[in-house]
Amino acid sequence: EPLARGAHPVPIDAAARARARCLDVLTRARRTAGGDVVAADALLADLSGVGWSPVRDERGVVVTLHDAFRGAELAPEGARRLQDLGKVAAAHAGFALQVVVHDATAPAAKDTTDAKRADAAVQALVAAGAPQGRVQTELAGARAPLVDPGDAKAGPRNERLDVVFIATGR
């Protein structure tokens, strides 16, 4: 119906086009290199097979959790999902993990909520089998929004937890 009214789709901006081209080049290079691609494909298949929606980007294989926390604590569903990811991490020892905490809005300078969230996520992953020495954290704040942070309805989607499986060749 929007087409019938003459509405035009929003064009993909230049940054999105550039990122898509970079990911295409990176994917082609990884396929040429071989080894890690097979492991990443097996990881993607395992994650997809148990109901996750993983994606592959320039960082590795990414699983995103929304509503994983209640304040600084893990929500029960977030804890369960991280436990499942910890088991997957244990079964795929060739991958390190990066836990990335994102905010809907920039946190205050002395706010420690994100650090507590990251620690809780790491503890849940390690308790379920992820190798402790192979899990790192990053507090991204509001630097990488998924949607326009100014949109009152959609903006909260920017608050999320990414668990990134990074191939290490082990």
Side-chain angles (χ1 to χ4, degrees):
E1 181 171 323
L3 293 175
R5 290 181 284 168
H8 299 285
V10 177
I12 297 175
D13 65 14
R17 278 194 298 276
R19 183 173 189 271
R21 283 192 297 268
C22 287
L23 287 174
D24 179 56
V25 169
L26 184 60
T27 299
R28 291 172 195 262
R30 285 179 175 161
R31 285 187 180 141
T32 301
D36 290 345
V37 173
V38 173
D41 286 346
L43 174 62
L44 282 166
D46 285 354
L47 289 167
S48 297
V50 293
W52 291 95
S53 297
V55 297
R56 186 181 291 171
D57 69 12
E58 66 277 5
R59 300 172 294 172
V61 176
V62 184
V63 175
T64 300
L65 289 81
H66 291 275
D67 301 320
F69 299 98
R70 298 289 177 263
E73 304 293 321
L74 280 170
E77 180 66 8
R80 185 191 66 74
R81 297 186 80 204
L82 286 169
Q83 183 179 29
D84 291 346
L85 285 175
K87 291 175 184 174
V88 171
H92 291 272
F95 290 86
L97 294 178
Q98 182 180 31
V99 174
V100 186
V101 178
H102 297 271
D103 292 302
T105 58
K110 295 185 180 187
D111 187 350
T112 61
T113 302
D114 285 353
K116 291 176 183 174
R117 287 177 170 183
D119 289 344
V122 169
Q123 288 175 16
L125 290 164
V126 169
Q132 185 168 4
R134 296 174 57 88
V135 182
Q136 294 187 348
T137 61
E138 180 181 346
L139 308 180
R143 292 188 307 266
L146 296 173
V147 298
D148 179 4
D151 183 333
K153 278 191 157 186
R157 285 191 49 226
N158 291 324
E159 184 173 300
R160 64 197 186 277
L161 177 69
D162 286 341
V163 177
V164 185
F165 290 79
I166 302 168
T168 61
R170 281 190 185 178

